[in-house]
Amino acid sequence: MKYDIVVIGAGIAGLTAAIYGKRAGKNVLVLESRTYGGQIVNTPSIENYPAAMGISGFEFATKIYEQAITLGAEIKFENVMSITDGKIKTVHTNQNDYQSPVVIIATGSKNRQLGLPNEEKLLGKGISYCATCDGAFFKNKVVAVIGGGNTAVEDALYLAGVAQKVYVIHRRNQFSAESVMVEQLQKQPNVEFIFDAQVTELIGEQKLSAININTNNQARIINIDGLFVAVGRVPENEKFANVVTLDQHGYIIAGENCETSAPGIFTAGDCRTKEIRQLVTAAGDGAVAANHAIQYLNQLNQD
Amino acid sequence: MVYQVNEKNFEQEVLAAKELVVVDFNAEWCGPCRMLGPVIEQLAEENQDVKFVSVNVDNSGELAQQFGIQSIPCVVFLKKGEEKTRNVGFAPKSVLENMIKELK
Ligand SMILES: Cc1cc2nc3c(=O)[nH]c(=O)nc-3n(C[C@H](O)[C@H](O)[C@H](O)COP(=O)(O)OP(=O)(O)OC[C@H]3O[C@@H](n4cnc5c(N)ncnc54)[C@H](O)[C@@H]3O)c2cc1C
């Protein structure tokens, strides 16, 4: 199947690119492996997107999705496995192949895992990466949050209001989260901090029952019902490493013009090298990438 | 049609049913659940020989606990009262369609 532009990822960056592509009269396909909207869909309230204060992530994502569909973008739920470069590029999914002169990679980022045995197996059975999504199932239970950034502290605050007890386990002895939130967390009576600690083992067969941590070279077993992992996010661009250049962390190297090392392949949003990973910058990238893609297409048609 | 079920009618509507039953555990506050809702509706429309029910985990906490639900959306497939398989998280229509086909 042939298109003018194939966009990989239906997050805010990818859907914005689709909107701009359609408005320029191009034939656009968006491929998405999970839900449309990307990482923002679980956020209860967005406070910093201009003109949309307090909107939920779900509502925000659904509005952009509907806008893209209304303008005629085609969206398919397929997982992109690889790209074959060339004047006409082929995007291979787990189900089909699609051809287009232009590809926009907008694959965002995913939760960083601890990388421990059992982690995948216990996902949804005591291990979670989203406190606002799964916290409600741990009412009056004992949980732990791993991490020291804004997300970890926010998660711990939320869980302190739900769970009986919350352990906050951090590998350093200081939080990198905003101090206002940290102070708020320190006031919670049911939160216990464990610093300079690393999780070494996830214990449980059918479901998580305990974790083994290492603090100051001592092992300690903590019995918990739930573990919330908030140790940052990582890009998932390995499958494209053979066509575009990645930096040492796996982000696609591109400047503000969203051009990658490969002519005709553009990138937008959290998956590229950039300073600020936010909705508004993802949307900005979507517009820039689409416009450069359109110029590239028009140039091709003239040649 | 997707029927709303709760602790009171679960036994009769789900466990005693003869056909394949697809149980969608969800909640108002869960974005991906609300994205999955229309997909489940469509599947129900297209698979009249399968029963589709919805459980609101806030109203039916006991059922959620009984099924060990710790993350939603969670779609559980049951046959003759016995769980066959489940899918946690949003899944595109094609994925759920295949699961239904295999179990029907
Ligand atoms: C909990 C949380 C709260 C946040 N709150 C805010 C906030 O209040 N304000 C704000 O501005 N920003 C916020 N952010 C950041 C913001 O969500 C991101 O910067 C933004 O969503 C990035 O959009 P994106 O389109 O680049 O990537 P993503 O949203 O990550 O979308 C990428 C999409 O690509 C898909 N994908 C990946 N690989 C493939 C593949 N191989 N094939 C097909 N599809 C693929 C993914 O499934 C995903 O849907 C928050 C982030 C999180 C995690």
Side-chain angles (χ1 to χ4, degrees), chain A residues 35 42 58 77 125-126 133-134, chain B residues 29 32 34-35 70-71 90 92:
Chain A
T35 79
N42 291 310
F58 163 76
F77 290 95
K125 296 172 183 158
C133 319
D134 304 334
Chain B
W29 46 263
R34 291 166 67 184
M35 293 173 168
Q70 289 198 330
S71 185
F90 178 91

Side-chain angles (χ1 to χ4, degrees), chain A residues 8-14 31-40 43 45-49 78-81 106-109 151 233 236 239-240 268-271 277-280 282:
Chain A
I8 306 174
I12 302 316
L31 296 166
E32 169 57 53
S33 58
R34 294 186 279 261
T35 79
Y36 65 82
Q39 54 183 288
I40 201 63
T43 300
S45 172
I46 298 166
E47 303 299 335
N48 57 4
Y49 198 89
E78 297 177 21
N79 190 6
V80 174
M81 311 308 283
T107 48
S109 63
T151 307
R233 301 185 63 84
E236 36 186 347
K239 6 175 117 147
F240 311 123
D270 279 16
C271 65
R277 295 197 168 85
Q278 286 281 290
L279 293 167
V280 71

Side-chain angles (χ1 to χ4, degrees), chain A residues 235-257:
Chain A
E236 36 186 347
N237 297 322
E238 310 81 26
K239 6 175 117 147
F240 311 123
N242 63 328
V243 285
V244 295
T245 312
L246 310 181
D247 77 355
Q248 76 266 34
H249 304 293
Y251 292 102
I252 298 170
I253 295 180
E256 294 304 312
N257 61 10

